[in-house]
């Protein structure tokens, strides 16, 4: 793996909200204990720390520059180098989007997208206080107020379809809005990001900044499973940490070992083999894109650290089992917002807030496999179409995401 690819992965991993079980790959036994404690606490009031993970598109940046001038653009436009992508009017925004790439006529869908971005420009400008300085980064959920069907507002910004009961507090806010967005981060003029501290800063009702939607009831926790898993971690924590020791991996020149474990896990999601997680890792490694030299180092390293290897996969599988049981309970609870993909309940899953780093709760064996398949094909098609329309995306990046077994649409901004 080339160094720039490794840097790309590290940056992405830091930005991504990790699955609760994947935290082990980067944090070792401490991460396992953190995930297990957070899941256990959900039975004691911790369920209020769990919110729906919204699946919006496209990613946009909006706000006011140091002089107070309003800017609204997409994520690519905000960081563009070869042109001014920080549009300061609706017309500028539409023209910027349509003029990207090598020229030629754009598809009807792309023209509609550019028109929709222009159409909501004024609403977002009015929503940001004139005294505010800085930008907001988020994903659009709808350009126009969703249709009301059988007492609920329905919208599908990306892969997941949402159904919000019109008579709920959130539904009433949707009904008063024109456009909706979920804001993830704040950004300054230099591009430095930070958490959104105050979602109530926005003015008026036309732009709905989706608030966190928490679960309503605490789930029942598998105490026996928690106790058994705690025993495995306490007994083998040192072996897990030895296996994932950064200095050792650096000296071996396999610093990306945690990401290789993560990529393998995603392959097990795709191939529906999570019940045997870890059993065929060496076999998978032999057919992977990992270099032959690195494969040999990893296999030798695994043989020398079998206690840590076995304990790691037991821990990952155990956390996954506890989490899947919790997710199943959450999805069966009555809620003001229901998410589906195709005809299956569930969406991007849930986010469990934690001071040490948020964690994603998704049933990977039942939902993620189908979700990844849909999103992978859809994202690659959209990315290729975007390349064709704009020339603003490196086609090699699509191949890079496919080769490492990752989902190009599943990166948390």
């Amino acid at each position: 793996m080339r160094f720039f690819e490794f840097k790309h992965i590290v940056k992405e991993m830091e930005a991504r909200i990790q699955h609760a079980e994947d935290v082990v790959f980067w944090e070792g036994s401490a991460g396992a204990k953190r995930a297990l404690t957070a899941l256990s606490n959900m039975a004691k009031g911790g369920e209020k720390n769990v919110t729906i993970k919204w699946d919006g598109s496209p990613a946009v940046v909006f706000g006011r520059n140091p002089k107070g001038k309003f800017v609204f653009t997409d994520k690519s436009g905000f960081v563009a180098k070869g042109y001014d992508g920080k549009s300061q009017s609706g017309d500028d925004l539409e023209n910027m989007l349509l003029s990207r790439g090598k020229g030629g006529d754009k598809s009807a869908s792309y023209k509609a997208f550019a028109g929709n971005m222009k159409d909501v420009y004024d609403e977002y400008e009015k929503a940001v206080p004139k005294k505010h300085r800085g930008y907001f980064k988020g994903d659009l959920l709808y350009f126009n107020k969703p249709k009301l069907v059988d007492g609920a507002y329905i919208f599908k910004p990306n892969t997941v379809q949402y159904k919000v009961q019109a008579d709920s507090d959130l539904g009433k806010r949707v009904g008063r809005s024109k456009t909706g967005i979920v804001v993830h981060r704040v950004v300054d003029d230099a591009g430095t990001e930070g958490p959104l501290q105050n979602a109530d800063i926005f003015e008026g009702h036309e732009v709905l900044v989706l608030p966190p939607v928490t679960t309503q009831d605490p789930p029942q926790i598998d105490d026996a499973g928690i106790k058994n898993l705690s025993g495995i971690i306490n007994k083998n924590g040192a072996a897990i940490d030895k296996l994932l020791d950064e200095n050792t991996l650096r000296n071996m020149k396999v610093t990306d070992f945690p990401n290789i474990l993560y990529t393998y896990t995603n392959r097990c999601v795709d191939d529906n083999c999570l019940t045997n997680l870890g059993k065929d890792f060496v076999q998978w490694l032999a057919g992977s894109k990992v270099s032959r030299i690195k494969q040999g180092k990893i296999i030798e390293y695994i043989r020398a650290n079998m206690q840590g290897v076995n304990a790691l996969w037991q821990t990952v599988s155990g956390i996954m089992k506890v989490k899947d049981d919790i997710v199943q309970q959450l999805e069966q609870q009555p809620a003001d917002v229901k998410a589906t993909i195709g005809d299956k309940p569930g969406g991007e899953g849930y986010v469990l807030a934690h001071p040490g780093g948020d964690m994603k709760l998704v049933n990977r064996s039942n939902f993620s496999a189908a979700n990844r398949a849909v999103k992978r094909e859809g994202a690659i098609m959209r990315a290729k179409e975007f390349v064709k329309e704009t020339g603003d995306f490196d086609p090699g990046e699509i191949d890079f995401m496919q080769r490492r077994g990752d989902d190009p649409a599943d990166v948390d901004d």
Side-chain angles (χ1 to χ4, degrees), residues 138-210:
D139 295 327
L140 281 172
L141 294 175
Y142 52 88
F143 285 108
N144 296 288
K145 184 169 68 175
K147 292 182 179 179
L148 186 61
V149 179
D150 296 331
Y153 291 106
I154 296 178
F155 52 98
K156 187 180 179 182
N158 197 18
T159 302
V160 179
Q161 176 174 284
Y162 295 100
K163 187 175 183 180
V164 181
Q165 293 301 315
D167 59 357
S168 67
D169 290 340
L170 179 57
K172 292 173 183 177
R173 295 181 64 184
V174 172
R176 293 194 298 267
S177 71
K178 170 181 170 56
T179 177
I181 187 171
V182 52
V183 173
H184 302 298
R185 310 280 282 174
V186 296
V187 190
D188 64 20
D189 209 51
T192 304
E193 297 188 9
L196 175 66
Q197 301 290 348
N198 181 14
D200 295 327
I201 189 176
F202 303 99
E203 298 179 344
H205 301 292
E206 291 182 302
V207 174
L208 172 57
V209 178
L210 268 290

Side-chain angles (χ1 to χ4, degrees), residues 233-306:
I233 297 169
N234 290 333
K235 181 179 179 181
N236 301 285
I240 292 174
D241 293 337
K242 179 183 176 183
L243 175 71
L244 299 172
D245 182 69
E246 291 183 9
N247 291 328
T248 301
L249 295 174
R250 186 179 298 110
N251 291 334
M252 291 173 56
K253 296 184 179 180
V254 289
T255 321
D256 58 336
F257 183 55
N259 185 71
I260 292 172
L261 299 174
Y262 166 81
T263 302
Y264 161 76
T265 303
N266 274 341
R267 195 277 304 178
C268 288
V269 173
D270 295 337
D271 292 351
N272 194 27
C273 57
L274 285 173
T275 53
N276 293 311
L277 190 63
K279 303 292 185 183
D280 66 342
F281 175 75
V282 173
Q283 180 182 350
W284 168 84
L285 185 66
S288 73
K289 296 296 182 179
V290 177
S291 72
R292 292 296 179 186
I293 294 176
K294 187 175 290 187
Q295 285 183 26
K297 291 180 179 180
I298 291 174
I299 292 172
E300 183 180 347
Y301 188 58
I302 285 174
R303 288 173 178 167
N305 291 275
M306 286 305 300

Side-chain angles (χ1 to χ4, degrees), residues 86-104:
K86 295 180 179 178
S87 305
Q88 297 185 10
S89 75
D91 288 333
D92 286 348
L93 176 59
E94 182 179 40
N95 291 334
M96 181 271 291
L97 293 170
L98 293 177
S99 64
R100 278 176 172 165
K102 300 177 181 179

Side-chain angles (χ1 to χ4, degrees), residues 51-106:
T51 57
I52 290 176
K53 185 175 184 296
W54 297 99
D55 174 38
S57 180
V60 300
V61 180
F62 66 101
R64 298 190 182 277
N65 66 21
K67 295 182 179 180
K69 184 65 177 177
F70 181 74
V71 170
F72 182 64
T73 185
D74 65 356
K75 187 168 64 173
S76 295
F78 188 75
V79 297
K81 300 298 184 182
Y83 60 92
D84 184 5
K86 295 180 179 178
S87 305
Q88 297 185 10
S89 75
D91 288 333
D92 286 348
L93 176 59
E94 182 179 40
N95 291 334
M96 181 271 291
L97 293 170
L98 293 177
S99 64
R100 278 176 172 165
K102 300 177 181 179
D105 194 29
K106 309 299 182 186

